[in-house]
Amino acid sequence: MDVAFVFLLFATITPVMLLQLKKPVFAVVQTILLIGMWLYCFQMVLYTPPAAFSISWTMFYASLIGAHVAWLLFVMAIIKESPGFQESLKEQKETLLP
């Protein structure tokens, strides 16, 4: 269950990252999925686990997938903006083009 809380925390940060990437629609969708994710977590901890393929179960796993995709987009954006990547890209263009 500790790993699930780590994923919950990372998924909770995801809408802020999506706003930095200028993807507000995805941030709103992730926020809605986060509500279901936290409800599922509280149901797991305090009550009996929800049935498979219930609404909160679906929102939990959809939020995990959405958070994973958002983190990948964030990492790719950081790499694209890094000066080292820009310099190596410029060098490759110079060597490929006459």
Side-chain angles (χ1 to χ4, degrees):
M1 196 67 187
D2 294 336
V3 173
F5 282 115
V6 170
F7 285 129
L8 278 165
L9 293 176
F10 279 130
T12 304
I13 299 169
T14 302
V16 176
M17 290 179 2
L18 287 168
L19 287 174
Q20 280 186 331
L21 293 172
K22 296 179 178 63
K23 298 186 184 297
V25 175
F26 294 127
V28 170
V29 170
Q30 182 66 22
T31 303
I32 293 169
L33 290 174
L34 275 173
I35 294 168
M37 188 178 209
W38 280 102
L39 287 174
Y40 180 81
C41 178
F42 289 135
Q43 286 178 342
M44 287 288 292
V45 172
L46 301 175
Y47 305 110
T48 58
F53 301 106
S54 65
I55 292 175
S56 61
W57 184 90
T58 305
M59 290 177 82
F60 179 82
Y61 287 104
S63 182
L64 281 179
I65 293 168
H68 180 75
V69 170
W71 277 92
L72 289 175
L73 288 172
F74 187 71
V75 168
M76 287 189 304
I78 287 177
I79 291 172
K80 277 185 179 179
E81 294 173 1
S82 71
F85 178 76
Q86 295 296 329
E87 185 178 309
S88 68
L89 187 62
K90 186 178 178 181
E91 289 174 3
Q92 285 181 359
K93 284 182 182 178
E94 290 173 356
T95 59
L96 292 175
L97 298 174

